[in-house]
Amino acid sequence: MSAIRALAEHLARRSDDDLRGLLSVRPDLILPPVPDFAALAARASTRVSLQRALENVPRPHLQVLEALVVLTDDGGGPVPLSRLTAAFTHPDAEALDAVLTDLAARALIVGSAPEGFLPVGALSDAVGPYPAGLGRPFRALARSIPRFGPALIQAVPLLDPAAGDDPMTSTSAAQYLSDLTADPAEWDRVLTGAPEAAVALLSRLRDTPVGSTAAGGDGATPPAVRWLQDRCLLAPLDALHVELPRGVGTALRGHAVFTALEVTPPTAPGRTTRTSLRDNAAFGAIAETLRLMTALLGSVAATPVTTLRSGGVGVRELRRVREALRSDDGATAWLLELAAAVGLITLDPDDSRWKTSRLDAWDALDRDAQWLLLVEGWLAVDRAPALVGSRLPDGTAINALAAEASRPDAPMVRQRLLAVAVELSDAAADPAGTASGTTASPVLAEESVVGLASWHQPRLQRRFARLLPGMLTEAASLGLTGGGALTGAGRLVAEGRFEDAADAIREALPDAVSQVVLQADLTAVAPGYLQPEVARGLLRMATPEGQGPATTYRFSADSIRTALDAGEDAPSILAFLRSSSVTEIPQALAYLVEDTASRYGTLRVGRAGSYLRTEDDAVTAAVLADPRAAVLGVVQIAPTVLVSPASAPELTALLRDLGFSPASDAVAAVAPSPAGGEPAAPARVPPDQLRSRLNPWSVAEEEIAAQLVALRSAKPVPPDPAGGSDSDTLLGLETLRTAIRSRSRIRLGTADSEGNHVRQVLVPLSVSGGRLRVVDPETQVEKVVSVHRVMDVEILEGSTADG
């Protein structure tokens, strides 16, 4: 019976609870909904769905699946439990039985212990060409490498002179080498007569089936490689690369696919840190992140962040923001990305600059709400800020807020990071100490986090190795870890208890201070984390020195002029200092403010996009009186001169609408600019609208319930040979792949250009991309058939392409 039909019958016999479990772990099976169990089984057998499922199975499950693919490849039937157990050098029968049960529940295998097991549908294609790190079988190599087939025939007498008396085909020679490598005694005999360098080369390729062979100084193949290639124990891919056949690979592993079933996750305990040090580091990091975010928003409000033409924030602009925050490039890029993730800064499409958009809403939030906003935004954003500064394949660097840092899988990786952090912490916890939070907490080393995450999702190992180290640093900045150890707030966030985590942060953080200490050396010392409005006011009129919540702010003539440029004057500056200081304003500081303000404004500088010169007072009056001139911001700065922030063409069009005929001066106009300096803050947004949401790719319980009702109420539909359904198409593809693996002839029914049903006996070679490659065994002519023209496929029993 077809594996898809067998899976459909098996799914139909399952209970509703079992089906709910399946659809929970593989939600793509009902997106969109399916009409019956046949369609459900067909979708569960597709390569795309299986690839998604493989990304979420742990290491032992993937080992069993890869072992099944190896044992069933090249036309093999169901694999008995005894044979599957023998695929592991050190088998664990109880663990293997549990893994098989879970794989069947996930609809990744079909069968039972008495009948044997089979991988579902296109699982062999989803696993890839090298399951378990083994090369392709001898027969597959002979089909794909033209010169390897004849080489197999010539290799048989070299391995066993007595076996070379009978004529052989490439298929029979491939079978001979498969049997030889599967026999421990014969394999030991081959290795005994092999050169020492050849044995060393085979050992090096045991876990990596494809490797390179360095040619000699004259370009000749090394003797050890030549010895192995002559006996087809290595398959040449090109002049410098070889592939280790699957039979040789399993022989080198002790005639097994894996050494052992890795059922125990790698949670070995490492070093620890005191809980008090952990909490102090975490709360300090939270306070510093909130302070820097407030400083960043103040800097962006005063001077929006300019982007490059290619997108993202350039190195020079990033350096300017970094100097304003007195931070480093990595932290600055991370803050910009985080602010954009939660909507605190947005990109203005008119001038391609990042500007503040929710400044007043941010100021209105308490610190625990600010922290929660940043944490939820970090969890949900589909970007990887840690990639900023790394190099692309073409050598260019990734800029902050550039499209190259986009990673749709980033939320999933962060969720895995938190889950792994909890698991590592629980595994290393001392019930008498760490579990109660009184002594020490295990430190999350990068190697341990990446290793455990890769055990849970081995197909994503490269992704974890690239993203998790940077995400660990980001988690530390948000206080989810402290001193490398998972904090209480981090554990609550990992469990989805965000409000509880915010409550814990509110209780742990000291209250924000609203006053500073003014000193005679023209400095102000903040005794702790300042309230956002106080910190922003000091940033307008003083320069911060140092880092951390207890920051020193230094006043100077330049810093006072910055406040004056922002619209302040001497009385307002002194009033702010009086209300924000626990001490009297030092005489030196008051004198600095008053003296700088008295000399400020002697010269006035402004912006003008265009100007109008005329000696006619009537024209001037007519222009100023027209309401359209007010829209363009036209003002009079001299008896004969009008200026406007609008461009020269806009002003010219206005004048012509008024009936005048202006002439253009041959002088380059200043580029238009917004009329105001600091962008106006929008109306206050309620805090609940600022909160980011996690949006995992899943289906709701209501959707699963509705799908179960549809499946149970579906009536069997007879197959329609004229217009095949999706399940019929997948059944045909399954038959084609079976024929390709076994090199069998098929009777293929297709529809020609006129709609006639044509049947031919052919040999399938490959199927991919909606195209089927076949060869006519009578004429040896190869052709390509579109899969959508295939109407039926039948394997001719007892016939192969070789016989």
Side-chain angles (χ1 to χ4, degrees), residues 7-335:
L7 178 60
E9 294 180 1
H10 175 71
L11 293 176
R13 292 194 298 268
R14 288 192 181 188
S15 66
D16 286 354
D17 290 340
D18 290 341
L19 287 175
R20 285 192 184 92
L22 169 63
L23 300 181
S24 297
V25 296
R26 298 182 64 181
D28 62 298
L29 298 184
I30 57 172
L31 293 174
V34 291
D36 50 34
F37 282 105
L40 182 66
R43 187 174 295 175
S45 303
T46 60
R47 179 174 180 174
V48 173
S49 179
L50 289 170
Q51 284 176 330
R52 290 179 182 145
L54 289 178
E55 290 182 353
N56 294 297
V57 298
R59 177 64 180 161
H61 292 60
L62 187 61
Q63 284 182 300
V64 173
L65 288 174
E66 290 181 333
L68 272 176
V69 169
V70 169
L71 297 176
T72 58
D73 207 355
D74 221 8
V79 179
L81 181 59
S82 58
R83 189 180 175 204
L84 182 59
T85 304
F88 298 89
T89 306
H90 304 290
D92 185 336
E94 184 177 352
L96 180 60
D97 182 66
V99 170
L100 289 171
T101 301
D102 191 41
L103 290 175
R106 293 171 182 254
L108 294 176
I109 62 172
V110 291
S112 59
E115 302 171 356
F117 299 92
L118 275 174
V120 165
L123 187 64
S124 59
D125 295 333
V127 167
Y130 304 115
L134 294 170
R136 291 170 288 178
F138 286 104
R139 184 180 298 182
L141 290 170
R143 290 199 298 262
S144 59
I145 304 176
R147 55 179 172 166
F148 193 68
L152 284 170
I153 301 174
Q154 299 174 5
V156 173
L158 296 177
L159 293 169
D160 185 2
D165 298 337
D166 298 329
M168 285 192 171
T169 64
S170 60
T171 301
S172 60
Q175 185 61 45
Y176 173 83
L177 264 75
S178 297
D179 296 339
L180 182 144
T181 54
D183 188 335
E186 287 294 313
W187 178 248
D188 290 341
R189 178 183 61 80
V190 171
L191 287 185
T192 301
E196 185 177 347
V199 176
L201 178 59
L202 289 177
S203 299
R204 197 167 70 240
L205 294 174
R206 183 183 63 181
D207 299 318
T208 307
V210 177
S212 61
T213 58
D218 56 354
T221 304
V225 177
R226 174 57 60 190
W227 190 91
L228 293 170
Q229 288 183 347
D230 289 343
R231 288 156 181 77
C232 289
L233 302 180
L234 280 182
L237 300 178
D238 53 39
L240 294 177
H241 296 86
V242 293
E243 180 175 336
L244 191 71
R246 182 171 297 174
V248 179
T250 54
L252 292 172
R253 298 180 183 185
H255 297 87
V257 180
F258 291 103
T259 303
L261 191 62
E262 301 176 20
V263 295
T264 304
T267 56
R271 63 186 183 90
T272 60
T273 184
R274 284 193 303 174
T275 304
S276 57
L277 295 178
R278 178 202 68 182
D279 293 341
N280 288 339
F283 298 143
I286 293 174
E288 179 68 359
T289 298
L290 296 180
R291 183 189 72 82
L292 287 175
M293 182 59 71
T294 300
L296 172 69
L297 296 179
S299 175
V300 176
T303 307
V305 179
T306 305
T307 59
L308 300 171
R309 290 184 178 180
S310 58
V313 179
V315 175
R316 293 183 179 179
E317 189 70 0
L318 187 65
R319 185 184 302 118
R320 181 188 66 79
V321 180
R322 178 198 68 192
E323 292 174 352
L325 301 182
R326 306 184 72 83
S327 183
D328 55 54
D329 286 342
T332 303
W334 143 251
L335 289 169

Side-chain angles (χ1 to χ4, degrees), residues 527-541:
Y529 179 85
L530 289 175
Q531 291 180 353
E533 60 273 13
V534 177
R536 186 169 294 109
L538 282 174
L539 286 174
R540 281 200 305 268
M541 59 189 65

Side-chain angles (χ1 to χ4, degrees), residues 465-482:
R466 179 169 173 78
L467 297 180
L468 283 180
M471 290 181 177
L472 272 173
T473 303
E474 296 165 3
S477 299
L478 291 171
L480 303 179
T481 63

Side-chain angles (χ1 to χ4, degrees), residues 541 564 568-578 585 593-594 597:
M541 59 189 65
L564 296 173
E568 300 282 355
D569 54 20
S572 64
I573 293 175
L574 293 175
F576 172 81
L577 293 177
R578 289 191 191 95
I585 300 177
V593 173
E594 293 172 350

